[in-house]
Amino acid sequence: MTPVTSLALRTDLSLLTRSGSTVEDYGTHLVVRTPDNPTYYWGNFLALRALPFPGGAREVMAACDAEFPTSRHRAITFDLTGSVDAGEFVAAGMTASDTVAMTATSLVPPPRPNADAELRPFASDDDWEQRIALALAVHEGSASHEAFTRGRVTAERALEAQGLGQRWGAFLDGRLVSTAALFTLEDGLARYQSVETRPDVRRQGLAGTLVHRLGEHGLAQPGVSRLVIVADADQDSARLYAGLGFAESERVTELLQVL
């Protein structure tokens, strides 16, 4: 496969392929499939290596439909290191958003650390069931979202079984209230996945404390020299990570349409 330029996309693909997804390289674009979790937007998508020519947005969207004929979504991103003008796609019905990839080689403690929670890696099936309940609470999930989340749990447990990392949680009185995962990849990289906190306990320093603790643990592992985390651009999460020592590496535009 032609080397991938975007750090966010490259680390995404590394995790996806290690947990069962496939990537097909057509030169101008990549087709990423996760057959075991077809409702996973960013497991079933196109990645373009360049913007289409003017007037080409609908052709790209048609190609997405052809690759995923039974899908209830269209998901398209770009193997570029800056946000792009997605006006044609938006005019055709897609929603555009920017994500930011941030990196750190060392971390600083959060300004308001939480000293009450127990921070530890997941150690039982009950921990994973609590992780599903937390995700549903965060996203107000339906039965379809639960199926998607269970698919993601299966993928993460496959990564864990390969010794690539773990999902950690912050627990208050045995209840999972915040969670994050970190997995080791090639080139000294370790990538965070799905940092989430229950809505009823936010703004208590839980996520910042957990991300910092997990990152310190990751940087202590042999061969790990740089942490990578991805967040919605210009949102609270990105500001939280900047306060821990992460710096912006790139911005990537994502396009989504739920059908």
Side-chain angles (χ1 to χ4, degrees):
M1 185 173 74
T2 304
V4 173
T5 301
S6 162
L7 178 63
L9 181 60
R10 176 157 52 93
T11 52
D12 274 336
L13 295 181
S14 184
L15 289 172
L16 285 166
T17 56
R18 290 168 190 239
S19 58
S21 301
T22 64
V23 180
E24 301 161 28
D25 188 347
Y26 291 94
T28 58
H29 65 283
L30 305 174
V31 179
V32 183
R33 306 180 194 275
T34 305
D36 292 339
N37 200 351
T39 62
Y40 180 19
Y41 299 155
W42 298 111
N44 300 276
F45 65 95
L46 301 187
L48 307 184
R49 296 195 185 276
L51 270 173
F53 290 115
R58 289 192 179 277
E59 182 178 346
V60 173
M61 293 165 66
C64 193
D65 293 343
E67 293 290 352
F68 303 99
T70 63
S71 177
R72 300 298 301 165
H73 73 271
R74 296 185 182 116
I76 300 167
T77 189
F78 298 88
D79 182 20
L80 301 170
T81 58
S83 59
V84 303
D85 180 359
E88 279 193 25
F89 289 95
V90 173
M94 301 198 75
T95 298
S97 60
D98 280 356
T99 61
V100 56
M102 308 178 75
T103 64
T105 55
S106 62
L107 297 178
V108 297
R112 295 187 304 112
N114 185 292
D116 298 324
E118 177 192 9
L119 308 182
R120 62 169 176 81
F122 282 13
S124 68
D125 290 340
D126 180 67
D127 289 344
W128 288 102
E129 286 298 320
Q130 288 203 60
R131 189 267 177 279
I132 293 167
L134 187 154
L136 295 178
V138 168
H139 299 286
E140 299 180 351
S142 61
S144 61
H145 190 79
E146 179 176 351
F148 153 76
T149 304
R150 288 191 181 278
R152 296 298 300 133
V153 163
T154 298
E156 284 195 357
R157 297 190 81 166
L159 295 172
E160 185 178 278
Q162 296 171 55
L164 298 176
Q166 292 175 303
R167 177 161 287 280
W168 282 51
F171 295 83
L172 290 173
D173 298 323
R175 178 186 183 227
L176 179 68
V177 292
S178 186
T179 185
L182 186 68
F183 296 106
T184 301
L185 304 174
E186 65 283 343
D187 300 327
L189 300 175
R191 168 73 188 267
Y192 285 87
Q193 291 281 275
S194 302
V195 181
E196 295 177 337
T197 301
R198 282 187 171 275
D200 59 328
V201 292
R202 288 178 181 164
R203 303 195 181 281
Q204 297 182 27
L206 288 160
T209 303
L210 181 59
V211 168
H212 175 261
R213 176 69 184 86
L214 183 53
E216 292 283 280
H217 174 80
L219 288 170
Q221 304 309 302
V224 175
S225 58
R226 185 162 57 139
L227 305 172
V228 181
I229 197 165
V230 176
D232 292 335
D234 304 317
Q235 298 298 313
D236 287 346
S237 57
R239 288 187 281 272
L240 183 152
Y241 304 146
L244 298 175
F246 286 90
E248 181 176 327
S249 173
E250 66 185 34
R251 292 195 175 206
V252 176
T253 298
E254 295 179 339
L255 302 163
L256 181 65
Q257 185 177 22
V258 180
L259 305 174

